[in-house]
Amino acid sequence: MTILQTKGLKKYYGNGETIVKALDGIELSIEKGSFVAIVGTSGSGKSTLLHMLGGLDRPTEGSVIVDGKELAKLNEDELTIFRRRKIGFIFQNYNLVPILNVYENIVLPIELDGNPVDEAYVKELTDTLGLSGKLDSLPNNLSGGQQQRVAIARALAAKPAIILADEPTGNLDSRTGLDVIGLLKVMNQKFKQSIVMITHNEEMAQMTDRIIRIEDGKITAGVSAVGRRER
């Protein structure tokens, strides 16, 4: 089952001779339950693509479909609600609320929706991520790796259709970064969570099921976990 798809996705800035084609006709399909890395150099368009996939920006042309819903057809209020319920975000800067403790940060998106918290599920998440002894701690009392674990738990807590991770190890040392990617892999396998991760790190990309390469706003190749080149 396809959980995320783009059709003829374009994002242009400027016009005429100064036009910048950040995305130039992206055709992409992500299957439910997969863990996918999008790899590219700086300026390749990978972060712009992630913003489009998450409905954080509007395309110049083309469409993004998440869990059967075309994002361009939603107004701003509808899109905000859809993102909160269906898309989990993990950023390299963690984006935790400093005055809330770990537990409060994790359940914040659920409470913003006015929904009951699945306490058993949250406990399973925090146990798996090694956070069960830190639930009362404030973010500034945690290491970078622990803060990123909280961000992962928050992204998963609302049981989204897909998680989008933007350079989730960018502020971590290499060892901690590999630990975080390992945890994402565990989340993918244990909870059947679909994950799309932007990264420039080849070693970390190799830990995913599929690698998609992007250059100059175009997808150049995709490689499966067994190294089979996709057309």
Side-chain angles (χ1 to χ4, degrees):
M1 174 183 172
T2 300
I3 197 67
L4 185 153
Q5 185 177 19
T6 69
K7 298 179 180 179
L9 188 64
K10 297 180 181 180
K11 183 63 176 179
Y12 293 172
Y13 298 97
N15 51 62
E17 293 182 0
T18 62
I19 195 168
V20 175
K21 298 181 178 181
L23 298 176
D24 194 18
I26 298 289
E27 301 281 344
L28 181 64
S29 182
I30 305 294
E31 295 304 302
K32 186 175 182 179
S34 60
F35 186 10
V36 177
I38 298 176
V39 178
T41 57
S42 178
S44 62
K46 61 183 187 299
S47 291
T48 301
L49 176 57
L50 194 82
H51 289 168
M52 295 294 159
L53 299 182
L56 298 174
D57 199 357
R58 299 278 187 175
T60 303
E61 188 179 310
S63 59
V64 177
I65 302 163
V66 178
D67 200 23
K69 185 75 71 173
E70 186 173 344
L71 302 190
K73 293 183 177 179
L74 304 176
N75 64 36
E76 289 303 321
D77 289 341
E78 291 170 336
L79 184 57
T80 297
I81 293 169
F82 184 83
R83 280 198 305 259
R84 192 163 63 226
R85 293 176 178 174
K86 293 291 187 176
I87 305 173
F89 293 95
I90 303 171
F91 300 101
Q92 62 177 324
N93 293 324
Y94 322 131
N95 287 4
L96 303 179
V97 180
I99 61 172
L100 300 182
N101 65 30
V102 166
Y103 176 82
E104 291 166 338
N105 266 286
I106 291 170
V107 301
L108 180 61
I110 302 170
E111 293 183 337
L112 286 173
D113 250 351
N115 292 326
V117 175
D118 185 338
E119 297 289 356
Y121 178 64
V122 171
K123 183 179 187 306
E124 187 175 7
L125 285 178
T126 53
D127 286 349
T128 302
L129 290 164
L131 293 170
S132 54
K134 299 289 185 179
L135 297 183
D136 294 325
S137 299
L138 293 175
N140 62 4
N141 292 322
L142 303 177
S143 68
Q146 289 170 333
Q147 289 187 62
Q148 195 59 293
R149 291 175 185 225
V150 177
I152 292 170
R154 179 184 58 191
L156 279 145
K159 302 178 183 177
I162 194 162
I163 285 180
L164 304 178
D166 190 3
E167 297 281 5
T169 64
N171 286 335
L172 305 174
D173 62 72
S174 58
R175 181 175 178 180
T176 305
L178 286 171
D179 287 345
V180 166
I181 299 302
L183 286 169
L184 285 175
K185 186 72 174 177
V186 169
M187 298 295 114
N188 163 248
Q189 294 176 339
K190 184 172 184 177
F191 299 105
K192 310 302 181 187
Q193 180 64 62
S194 310
I195 303 172
V196 176
M197 176 181 71
I198 295 291
T199 184
H200 65 275
N201 188 303
E202 288 284 344
E203 183 179 7
M204 293 176 184
Q206 293 295 331
M207 297 173 69
T208 67
D209 303 325
R210 178 185 175 201
I211 300 172
I212 296 169
R213 300 190 185 279
I214 182 170
E215 291 297 337
D216 299 322
K218 296 177 181 288
I219 290 177
T220 58
V223 180
S224 69
V226 296
R228 175 179 55 83
R229 185 168 295 276
E230 300 170 355
R231 295 184 182 273

